[in-house]
Amino acid sequence: MAVTVPTNFYNLNILWYGKFTPPQKSTILDFLASLDGNTAAHGTVTQWWQTVQIYLQKAGKKQTHLVLSNQISDENCSMGKLLKKSQLAVLTQRVNSKSPGLTLVLTAKDVAVEGFCMSNCGYHGRVGTAVYVWVGNSATQCPGQCAWPFHQPIYGPQTKPLVAPNGDVGADGMIVNIASLVAGAVTNPFGNGYFQGPAGAPLEAASACPGVYGKGAYPGYAGELLVDSTTGGSYNARGVNGRKYLLPALFDPSTSECSTMV
């Protein structure tokens, strides 16, 4: 299906809802900065993002760039710590977003969201033409579901969890979900872009390759990955400031296969 996107760049806005530590914020911000790095060298986050660009190129669009525009913090959780989906849409409008915008609503580990841990680990939606992504920190609520493979899964083969590359199961798990959902938001922002299957339950660029991070992956096994010799953290992509991340495989429209970094 043809990809419909508003333009070739998004003003990226972030709403930090609840308390995030400075290391957690920097881990996530460095990942976002790595998407549009100066080089798409092999094994980098920027190279991973290039697979997303293939969708746009096939649709005759220019490459999409994410530019950090604004970020605000709501540490006191002004709308409470039990949020409905409708409230997330309201929260996105608190950020002074320049159009076209992509807003990330990131909720802390003690904030519960409707459907979180039961049906999803995050999702993307829109308010008018403004696109948003919500992802929650699952560290204390459902790490086996939303932070695998850094925590034992809640079902299936009980393999030993991997060491989180940035030392934070919650934040590193959020990176996986942010990556997946930003890819989906850019290639299918309004529900009429790229997806497979029914529109009500679409398989998008990353969700078409669930649980795949490296070659040889199968249920309960993330695949062959790189391991940091100092920290023991598993990763498959390098980012800015010496960061290392584990990113999901993306469905490559050129090969019709799940494309892994390693």
Side-chain angles (χ1 to χ4, degrees):
M1 185 176 292
V3 178
T4 302
V5 296
T7 187
N8 67 323
F9 73 93
Y10 283 98
N11 290 294
L12 184 62
N13 310 284
I14 304 174
L15 172 60
W16 305 94
Y17 192 84
K19 293 184 179 181
F20 287 85
T21 66
Q24 288 174 332
K25 286 187 176 183
S26 63
T27 295
I28 293 170
L29 289 171
D30 281 349
F31 165 69
L32 296 171
S34 301
L35 291 172
D36 268 342
N38 294 325
T39 175
H42 179 72
T44 61
V45 174
T46 309
Q47 182 199 14
W48 177 86
W49 186 245
Q50 290 306 305
T51 300
V52 174
Q53 306 288 16
I54 292 174
Y55 289 90
L56 307 178
Q57 293 166 5
K58 284 184 170 294
K61 305 290 183 179
K62 295 181 179 180
Q63 290 195 352
T64 292
H65 301 282
L66 301 176
V67 180
L68 185 59
S69 176
N70 190 25
Q71 54 178 318
I72 63 175
S73 295
D74 186 350
E75 288 194 353
N76 295 324
C77 299
S78 60
M79 297 186 76
K81 292 188 177 182
L82 179 58
L83 300 176
K84 295 182 178 180
K85 289 184 176 181
S86 59
Q87 291 176 297
L88 293 176
V90 173
L91 285 172
T92 67
Q93 299 175 66
R94 291 189 176 181
V95 184
N96 184 22
S97 176
K98 298 178 182 177
S99 183
L102 172 59
T103 297
L104 300 183
V105 178
L106 306 178
T107 51
K109 63 182 181 181
D110 59 345
V111 177
V113 176
E114 179 185 1
F116 188 34
C117 298
M118 294 188 294
S119 60
N120 58 58
C121 302
Y123 63 84
H124 69 84
R126 67 186 177 99
V127 179
T129 58
V131 182
Y132 70 91
V133 167
W134 160 69
V135 172
N137 184 335
S138 66
T140 59
Q141 298 185 57
C142 55
Q145 180 175 342
C146 295
W148 185 85
F150 306 126
H151 190 281
Q152 285 189 305
I154 57 175
Y155 54 82
Q158 295 299 299
T159 53
K160 183 179 180 181
L162 304 179
V163 176
N166 295 286
D168 189 313
V169 169
D172 280 300
M174 289 184 77
I175 293 295
V176 171
N177 294 311
I178 290 170
S180 174
L181 289 164
V182 167
V186 168
T187 56
N188 186 32
F190 306 128
N192 61 350
Y194 173 80
F195 63 90
Q196 302 178 60
L203 293 177
E204 298 177 326
S207 58
C209 303
V212 179
Y213 298 91
K215 289 182 174 60
Y218 55 81
Y221 174 58
E224 299 176 11
L225 301 171
L226 302 173
V227 178
D228 186 287
S229 59
T230 301
T231 67
S234 294
Y235 69 99
N236 59 10
R238 302 186 309 277
V240 300
N241 297 325
R243 293 285 188 184
K244 295 175 180 177
Y245 296 105
L246 185 65
L247 303 181
L250 294 174
F251 185 82
D252 189 334
S254 298
T255 62
S256 295
E257 295 181 347
C258 292
S259 175
T260 59
M261 292 293 294
V262 293

